[in-house]
Amino acid sequence: MTERYTLRPPGPANAGRAGRRDGLEAIVRRARLAILWEGLWPPLAGFLAVAALFLALSFLGLWLVVPSVARAAALVALATAALYFLWRLARVRPPSRADGVHRVEQASGTVHRPLTAFEAARAAGETDPAARALWAAHRARMATMLAGMRAGWPAPALFRRDPWALRAVVGL
């Protein structure tokens, strides 16, 4: 039977550990929010660009001067593009805790994945005192590596999806 090790509840002897655990949970939560934003922003930006293009064409009065066939074709194209971006937006799923932990470890630039290793369950040797001592030493070493963990800023990299900066044309 594997046992999952967690930090003890707050108390006078464990006050620093519990605070560290709460701090790590907050960092993982921020990392998950950053990942979620990276997934939401590209389709949201596309939808907003289509909506802004529709408004720009409307403010210019283009709908009044073009033939009805061209107006219908443009409206169908804009509606199709808007529905496509809404469909992509609806397909974005919230990241898992494991995704957040992985993001924290990547953003922190740590080696040996200390947060994953700290939260890992011991595979064997629950009754062996040497294995327990080795596991405790390993966890203590990983706990010291957790001090510099950070979530990192969101990087949706919209420029990679829009290399010609067409999103700027809408604003102009």
Side-chain angles (χ1 to χ4, degrees), residues 37-156:
W37 179 250
E38 290 172 357
L40 288 174
W41 180 239
L44 184 61
F47 176 77
L48 292 174
V50 169
L53 181 61
F54 173 78
L55 288 175
L57 295 175
S58 297
F59 286 143
L60 288 174
L62 187 70
W63 307 124
L64 299 174
V65 295
V66 297
S68 60
V69 173
R71 181 179 10 188
L75 289 175
V76 166
L78 288 171
T80 303
L83 288 175
Y84 168 73
F85 287 118
L86 286 176
W87 174 75
R88 280 192 46 211
L89 192 62
R91 293 190 61 214
V92 174
R93 297 290 174 241
S96 67
R97 186 175 190 288
D99 295 333
V101 167
H102 184 67
R103 168 67 174 258
V104 166
E105 291 172 337
Q106 277 187 332
S108 299
T110 58
V111 294
H112 306 301
R113 300 175 58 191
L115 188 53
T116 302
F118 187 78
E119 293 181 339
R122 189 169 53 184
E126 290 149 6
T127 58
D128 183 17
R132 288 174 49 196
L134 183 61
W135 183 253
H138 168 69
R139 285 182 49 86
R141 194 173 121 234
M142 291 298 119
T144 59
M145 293 176 73
L146 296 178
M149 295 300 215
R150 62 182 188 273
W153 289 97

